[in-house]
Amino acid sequence: MTLKLVFPDDVEFTKLIQRDRNANLTVAALEVAREAQPGLSFRPTLEWISKRALEVQSMLSGKHDPRNQLQALAQCLSGTHGLHGSSSAYDQAEASYLNRVVSTGTGLPISLSLVWWEVARSIGIPLQGVSAPLQFLLRLESEEGPLFVDAFRGGLILDWEECLEWLTDLSQLPEDEVRPMMDPARPREIMTRMLNNLKVLHVKQGHWELAHQVQRRLTALLPGRFDQHRDLGLIAFKAGHYGLAVQLLEDCLRSCDGSERSVLTRHWQEAVRCLSERN
C-alpha cells in the first residue's frame, strides 16, 4: 500500500522527512515531545537553552581551544545546572523529551547530548552527534584530533584512543567495527535513534497509543523499510487502529518471508475480526 504519513503541525520534523539540511533537530525533538504532551510550549525550553549559551559564552571570553570549550560546557550544563544521566532514565519516556530534561536535569545520552548540541550551536561551537554503540556521544574537532564528550557522564572528555578503547570494552565489538560508529551522525539518524528509544520503552510498558505515534514517525523517516511498515501494522493493531492494521498487515503478507508469515497472518485475521465487530 502507499502510506502517506503527514505531520502538519511539525514543520521541522517534516523537514527531516524531506531530507532538508536546514531542519532544526532541537525543535523537531520538541515536536516529538509535544505529541505526547499536547499543548506543550517550546518557548521555556528554548529560552533556557539561550540563557545557558550566554553563560558559556561569557566563560569562554578570549578562549578558543576546543578542550576549553568542552570544559566550559561541562561546567555550565553538568556542573552549575546539574544535567546528568541516570539508570532510571531508561525507564522514563520523559528522559527523551527535551523540555523535561531541562526541567528535571535528567535524561538519556541522546537527549542530554541534544541539549548540549543546541547550547553549543547557539554560540558557534561546532559539536556533532555520534551514534556510537550503546552510548550516544558528542564530537568536536581539534588540532590533536577529534575530542568526544559524554553528556550522560557529566561531560567526560575523551580523545580518539580513549574513546575507542572505552566503546570497544562497552560494546564488546572489535575495533574495526567501532571506528566507523565514531563518525558524525546525520540529523535523520539521530532522530531515528531517539524515536527507537521511545518505541522500545512504550512497547515494553504496553503504552500502545504512544508507541503508535512514535512508529508513525519512524515509518515516515524510513519509508522503504519493510520492518517499519510491519511494526506499524502490529502496533496499530495493539493500539486499536484496526483499519490501518488490516491494510498494513495485508500489504506485508505479500512480501514477507516464511518465518514471519504465521505471526502476521494471525494478527491480520484478528484485526479483520476486530474491525468487523466495530462496524
Side-chain angles (χ1 to χ4, degrees), residues 12 16 23-30 98 114 117 187-188 190-191:
E12 298 305 322
L16 286 178
N24 186 309
L25 188 57
T26 303
V27 175
L30 286 167
L98 299 196
L114 271 180
W117 176 82
R188 283 167 60 95
I190 296 171
M191 178 56 68

Side-chain angles (χ1 to χ4, degrees), residues 1 16 86 123 145 152 186:
M1 66 176 289
L16 286 178
S86 167
I123 53 176
F152 191 76
R186 291 187 287 268

Side-chain angles (χ1 to χ4, degrees), residues 133 164 172-182:
L164 178 61
Q172 295 298 297
L173 294 171
E175 287 190 359
D176 60 347
E177 289 186 30
V178 172
R179 286 191 188 93
M181 299 180 192
M182 296 167 65

Side-chain angles (χ1 to χ4, degrees), residues 10 41 45 56 58 87 99 101 106 127 177 195-196 255 278:
D10 298 345
S41 171
T45 302
V56 175
S58 68
S87 58
N99 64 302
V101 171
T106 305
L127 281 183
E177 289 186 30
L195 290 171
N196 273 323
S255 57
R278 176 173 289 179

Side-chain angles (χ1 to χ4, degrees), residues 107-121:
L108 293 176
I110 191 168
S111 54
L112 289 165
S113 294
L114 271 180
V115 174
W116 275 62
W117 176 82
E118 183 64 20
V119 170
R121 187 190 69 83

Side-chain angles (χ1 to χ4, degrees), residues 77-198:
L77 298 176
S78 298
T80 303
H81 296 283
L83 293 191
H84 67 284
S86 167
S87 58
S88 64
Y90 290 94
D91 295 318
Q92 300 170 0
E94 68 176 14
S96 291
Y97 303 144
L98 299 196
N99 64 302
R100 297 297 295 152
V101 171
V102 302
S103 64
T104 66
T106 305
L108 293 176
I110 191 168
S111 54
L112 289 165
S113 294
L114 271 180
V115 174
W116 275 62
W117 176 82
E118 183 64 20
V119 170
R121 187 190 69 83
S122 300
I123 53 176
I125 300 175
L127 281 183
Q128 300 177 87
V130 174
S131 197
L134 300 180
Q135 191 88 332
F136 194 91
L137 301 170
L138 292 161
R139 171 174 171 154
L140 183 62
E141 304 305 321
S142 76
E143 291 184 1
E144 62 183 279
L147 296 173
F148 298 86
V149 59
D150 186 349
F152 191 76
R153 293 191 289 168
L156 179 67
I157 301 170
L158 303 167
D159 64 23
W160 174 271
E161 291 300 329
E162 291 169 336
C163 189
L164 178 61
E165 182 180 0
W166 175 63
L167 288 174
T168 302
D169 289 342
L170 180 68
S171 67
Q172 295 298 297
L173 294 171
E175 287 190 359
D176 60 347
E177 289 186 30
V178 172
R179 286 191 188 93
M181 299 180 192
M182 296 167 65
D183 290 339
R186 291 187 287 268
R188 283 167 60 95
E189 295 172 13
I190 296 171
M191 178 56 68
T192 298
R193 182 159 174 163
M194 174 175 274
L195 290 171
N196 273 323
N197 289 339
L198 280 168

